[in-house]
Structure formats: C-alpha cells, structure tokens
Amino acid sequence: MNTPAADSAVPAPTMGSVTRGVSWKVLSVVVGQGSWYASLFVLAVLVPPRDFGVVAVGAAVVSFTLMILESGTGGSLIIAPELAAASVRRSLIRTSLGGVAATAVFAALAQPLADVFTGGSDAGVLRVIGLTVGLAAVSIVPNALLSKHLRFKALAQIWIAAAVIASVAAIVAGALGAGVWALAIRILVNQVLVTALTWAAARDLLPRRAAGARSVPRRPGATAFLIIAGAGFLAWTCDNLVVGAFTNPTQLGLYALAFSLAYAPLTQVSWTVGQVLLPAVAAARDEEVVRRATLKAVRMMALMLLPLAPAAIAVAPGLIPAVLGHKWSGMVFPFQILIVVGVGQGVVNTLGEALAGAGVRSLGLRARIDATWALATIGAIVVGVNVGGIRGAAVAHVVTFCGLAVALAWRGGPGIGLSGNALAGAVRNVAICVAVQAAATAAVTGALDYAGSGMLLGGLAGAAAGVLALFAALRLCAPALLSEGRGVVLATLRHRRA
C-alpha cells in the first residue's frame, strides 16, 4: 500500500513559505556553517597544510562515489510532480546498498590512493573518511523528501546540530594532538549525525512497504542531474586530484583550503538559497512567477555576494598569516584569485537552479552547458598547474568561469523567458556600486601600505572604506535596490521571530 506522504503532490509554494525556507537556510549557514568554518580555522592552526592535503584527496574520492551512487536521485525526486511509494522505495534500496558496497571498495583502494596522491600517507585516515560514503548514501532519499516537502526548518536544525557537535569534537581532538585524525573525526561525526537525524525527521515521508511488484519507470531528469553533479565534481573536486598529482601534499593543502574559503559564497550562501529555489520553482505553476522570482533572486544574490570580493582581496595578505600562521602564506594569492570566481559562481548558480527546476528541457540545457564548462575547466587546470603551480590552477578557474557565465545568461536564460540583457540589467547597478567599492578599497589599502602601516591594518582599513563607499553609492545611484535588499532582510527577520 502506498503511503499518503509519498503519493501526495506538493502544493504550490507561497512567497511566505519560500521566505521562511530561506530564513531557516540563512540560520543554518550563520550558526551551523559558522561553527564549521570556525573549527576549520582552529584546525588550520593546529594541523599542518600537508594533512589538509591528505583529507582533500579522501573528500574528492568520497564526492565522486556519492555522485555515482545518487545518479541524480535527489534532484529528480524534488522536481517530480508526484511520487509513488514504490519509486521512493526503489531509490532508497538502490542508494543504500550501493553505499555499503562502495564503502568496502573505498577501504580496499585506500592504500593505492594514498600512494598516488598523498605521497604514501597513512591509508587509515582515508578508510575512516570512506565510511561517510555509506552513511551519506542512506540519507540521499530522506533528505530529498524533506526538501521536496519544503521542510527547511527540520533540515536547518539537523545541519546546525551536526556541524556544531562535529566541530567541537574535532577541535578537542586537535588540541589533544590527534593531527590529521582531527580532520577525519570532523567529517565522520558530522555525517553520522546528519544521517541519523535526517532519517528521524523524514520518517513520516518514507514508504513502509512496496506498492507492488510492478516496474517503476525512471523519473525524468535523473540523467541531467547526474551530469550536473558530475560536472561540479570534475571542476571543483578533480582539480584537487590534479593539483595533488602534479605538486605535493603541502601545496595541495594550501590550494584546498584556499578553494574551500574562496568558494564559501557559493557553497554556503548560493547553494543554501538554491536548495529553496529549486523545489519552489519546480512546484510553481506560473511561468511569469518563475521569471520574476529568478530575476529577483539573481539581483539579491549579486547584492549579497559581489561586495565580498574586494573586501576579501584586501584583507587576505595580512589576515591569513595573522590568523592561521605563516605556514599558510602560500595560499594568499590563490585565494585572492579564487574568491572572485567563488562570488561569481554564487551569483550564476541562482540562474542555474532556476533552470534546473523549470522543466526537463531547461534542465537538459543546463546539463549540457555544465558538462562543457567542466571539461574545459579540468583541461585548463592541467595546463595551469604545470605552468604556474597552484596559482595557475586558480587562474584556470577564472578563465572557464567567464565562459560558463556567458553561456548560462545568453543560452540558458531564454529557456525561462529571460534574455541576456534582462539578466545583465538585473545586476548592472550592483556591479557599478561594487566597482566604486573596489576603487575605494584599493586606494585606501595602497595609500596605507605606501605609508608603512602594515598589510593587516591597511587591508582592514581599505575594506572598511570600501564598504562605506558601497553604501554611499547605493544610496545615491540605486536607492530602490537598497530598499529591496532591506525589505528582504526585514521580511526574513519577521518570519524568523514568528
């Protein structure tokens, strides 16, 4: 017998439900991911870059394995108009059994992976990280069902609890001298908690028994979601393997941490909003609603993220060595390059999520664009790392991102009724104001550096001057944009208090 939860269609989302979803996502970023990144900084002080390189290799292999196991399952569940219990059950069994098998294979291959990519480091660490494959695999379906039914409050509470507890456990282990094992503990404890709590939260959405022996067709869009996930893995995870293969674990550790911090605007902000936008667009009934919501989301994401780049570039040379120690100085320049891409990807991803949720045709177009971009990126990184080391790898990301942004705007946008000019117009005023911010930041930072104030003081003063210039430019040139952004923040706060 089918369970009611599995068969019921999700009602069209209201603006209130979307706003509440975003507010819970924002809370999970501020509290959960805030603690996650705080622990990352503490562990960077306690653990050498080489150990970060070892963990980056393990994380890359885990990401690849999970991508294959999921095969677009999560995304296709979210965009499906209706779900039969038999279909959900089949997906659950396939991903869970596949995760157990993949964990065993990972353990067997841990030593060869350590020999090739980490210079023969302890394979035991990779085996422990590999346990997260099976744990994550069994949570794919319940996590997708929670997103489909817009239960973002439960998801936020899960991620906050898991991130805080895992961060504390890792810091304690690091302080006790666990070294690279502290990083492994952080990953494993987080996944154990996420899996257990996700199952508890989604128990009423999971089918209790199969609907029958009949065959259930594969949901449309699963292949496209797999291609999109594969493109992200190739461009953003295989680059670690390329850097590790052509350099050494220490350089890989510097690059991996620079990448993780620089791409936080994408992974912690844009992906967070995208997890609300995708099911909301998929459940929308009106194409005009989709078009207006996408434009507003792109505009607000630009307003939120673009100002981060000038400030981060200014403070990085002084702040990174001061906080993490001079052993991490080698990541400063790659970080300054990558933060530009991380911010840009965050803005562009909003359009990508709208394309993914708007229908199978636009989803397929996004998959083709992402696949082309990923192949170009990994090829550019191979060239870049051989020419300029980790700096060359960072520059390669900049080059291929520009192509991705143009393709999504001028090829993808029309798929949901948005011309390239309309999308450019949505971010034009923000870009002009951020250009004013960047000029003020550079002027103050350069003047103080010339006066001998030191990189840290000069960078902080320059960033502060840039922020003041940004707000002045917004008030003078784009007051409506500033009012719109203030309105979104106030609406979010009202829903959070409620």
Side-chain angles (χ1 to χ4, degrees), residues 101-112 123 126-127 130-131:
T103 299
V105 174
F106 194 126
L109 296 177
Q111 190 59 58
L126 297 182
R127 293 190 178 97
L131 294 175

Side-chain angles (χ1 to χ4, degrees), residues 242 378-389 392-393 396:
V242 172
I378 204 66
I381 290 173
V382 170
V383 175
V385 75
N386 278 282
V387 172

Side-chain angles (χ1 to χ4, degrees), residues 276-288:
V276 178
L277 187 61
L278 174 63
V281 169
R285 307 290 189 263
D286 189 337
E287 292 183 0
E288 179 61 20

Side-chain angles (χ1 to χ4, degrees), residues 12-13 280-294 357-358 416-417:
V281 169
R285 307 290 189 263
D286 189 337
E287 292 183 0
E288 179 61 20
V289 170
V290 172
R291 191 188 71 82
R292 287 190 287 106
T294 302
I416 52 176

Side-chain angles (χ1 to χ4, degrees), residues 23 27 30 44 167 172 204 244 246-247 298 302 316 321 362 373-374 424 448 455 465-466 487:
S23 68
L27 182 65
V30 173
S167 298
V172 171
D204 62 319
F246 287 103
T247 58
V298 170
S362 59
W373 156 74
L448 291 177
M455 288 188 295

Side-chain angles (χ1 to χ4, degrees), residues 431-486:
I432 292 172
C433 294
V434 171
V436 173
Q437 174 201 7
T441 300
V444 173
T445 302
L448 291 177
D449 184 56
Y450 181 77
S453 65
M455 288 188 295
L456 180 57
L457 179 59
L460 292 173
V467 171
L468 293 176
L470 172 67
F471 277 103
L474 285 170
R475 288 183 64 85
L476 290 173
C477 303
L481 182 62
L482 190 60
S483 298
E484 184 180 20
R486 187 185 299 115

Side-chain angles (χ1 to χ4, degrees), residues 67-94:
M67 177 194 70
I68 298 299
L69 286 173
E70 190 196 28
S71 299
T73 297
S76 61
L77 284 171
I78 290 173
I79 69 171
E82 294 184 2
L83 289 177
S87 176
V88 176
R89 183 180 177 85
R90 183 187 67 176
S91 297
L92 183 61
I93 293 173
R94 178 180 61 80

